[in-house]
Amino acid sequence: DAKTTQPPSMDCAEGRAANLPCNHSTISGNEYVYWYRQIHSQGPQYIIHGLKNNETNEMASLIITEDRKSSTLILPHATLRDTAVYYCIVRVPGSGGGADGLTFGKGTHLIIQP
Amino acid sequence: DVKVTQSSRYLVKRTGEKVFLECVQDMDHENMFWYRQDPGLGLRLIYFSYDVKMKEKGDIPEGYSVSREKKERFSLILESASTNQTSMYLCASRPGQGLVGTEAFFGQGTRLTVV
């Protein structure tokens, strides 16, 4: 899996859009970008994934640059419950002869301020 | 609602004890994973399994073994617990290969303390 680089922490005001960046400059053509988050004392939760087009679901939007070397996760109206560690992961789903584990880095600790 | 259930939320064991951490998923997923999470180190993959009776080492398998006798159950075994195995342990499952862009589902975690 390609490595990712994320800022260790970010603050965002409640009600504002939270924009979380991720660099993945060595991503290969068939690797997807995944985002997970982990709220304190809980297991990680899937948020969204994409290959090259921008994606949106009920939780967030994912913007991937045209060269695919970076992406941004957007939480459009952040709430206090969005305070969590956010992980950006790149991988090829179902690659190789068997299961491929997700490799989590240290992520970004997003703190939503009231 | 999809479910990955870990048998214990909190566990305290003595050094040298054999410890079993159990994980059950009800989604008929082929792939199951065990991670540990420590402050400053993020999640690290211990072992994973892509089918019944199949297992693969992750990044930090030393001191651990696993068992997958049934598709829905994946057990992590600490043969002789040591204090450096005090950690949060997370189980996850995911559908099999060929399903592009599939997501993983995590259990709530087991916080193990070895004294």
Side-chain angles (χ1 to χ4, degrees):
Chain A
D1 292 351
K3 290 185 177 178
T4 62
T5 305
Q6 298 177 253
S9 65
M10 290 181 64
D11 287 352
C12 179
E14 188 178 16
R16 296 290 189 107
N19 297 282
L20 292 95
C22 180
N23 284 323
H24 31 79
S25 58
T26 59
I27 192 171
S28 60
N30 57 351
E31 285 183 310
Y32 282 65
V33 180
Y34 289 77
W35 282 85
Y36 284 76
R37 74 179 182 183
Q38 187 173 21
I39 295 169
H40 182 62
S41 296
Q42 297 182 23
Q45 175 191 24
Y46 164 83
I47 301 173
I48 199 167
H49 71 274
L51 182 61
K52 49 187 172 182
N53 297 323
N54 297 338
E55 302 288 344
T56 295
N57 63 21
E58 64 278 3
M59 289 182 70
S61 295
L62 174 60
I63 308 298
I64 303 173
T65 57
E66 196 168 336
D67 63 6
R68 302 210 323 123
K69 294 188 177 186
S70 65
S71 60
T72 301
L73 179 75
I74 300 171
L75 307 178
H77 305 287
T79 70
L80 297 178
R81 288 178 296 180
D82 291 322
T83 292
V85 178
Y86 287 77
Y87 296 98
C88 169
I89 302 158
V90 293
R91 58 179 282 269
V92 179
S95 61
D100 47 306
L102 295 165
T103 302
F104 287 72
K106 296 182 181 180
T108 296
H109 187 194
L110 175 67
I111 300 170
I112 306 301
Q113 305 282 2
Chain B
D1 203 14
V2 296
K3 275 280 171 55
V4 178
T5 304
Q6 294 182 228
S7 53
S8 304
R9 195 71 198 269
Y10 300 94
L11 213 50
V12 180
K13 295 291 181 181
R14 295 192 182 279
T15 302
E17 273 193 82
K18 190 169 186 176
V19 181
F20 292 85
L21 301 183
E22 306 286 348
C23 176
V24 178
Q25 51 99 359
D26 63 1
M27 296 164 284
D28 201 36
H29 286 171
E30 286 79 9
N31 304 313
M32 296 187 74
F33 309 86
W34 275 105
Y35 293 85
R36 64 177 283 179
Q37 185 173 33
D38 302 286
L41 296 176
L43 275 80
R44 293 180 291 168
L45 181 64
I46 305 171
Y47 266 97
F48 61 94
S49 167
Y50 56 89
D51 203 351
V52 175
K53 297 191 185 296
M54 307 303 287
K55 60 185 179 184
E56 297 267 357
K57 292 180 180 179
D59 300 320
I60 50 163
E62 295 78 20
Y64 303 94
S65 61
V66 290
S67 172
R68 186 127 182 241
E69 295 297 317
K70 294 185 178 181
K71 191 176 185 181
E72 67 270 18
R73 186 180 297 271
F74 192 35
S75 303
L76 180 70
I77 304 155
L78 288 66
E79 295 291 340
S80 177
S82 63
T83 54
N84 63 11
Q85 292 179 308
T86 291
S87 186
M88 168 71 89
Y89 289 87
L90 289 155
C91 175
S93 74
R94 188 166 56 77
Q97 25 174 353
L99 297 175
V100 172
T102 53
E103 66 207 67
F105 295 89
F106 283 80
Q108 78 279 20
T110 296
R111 186 165 291 282
L112 172 68
T113 303
V114 183
V115 298

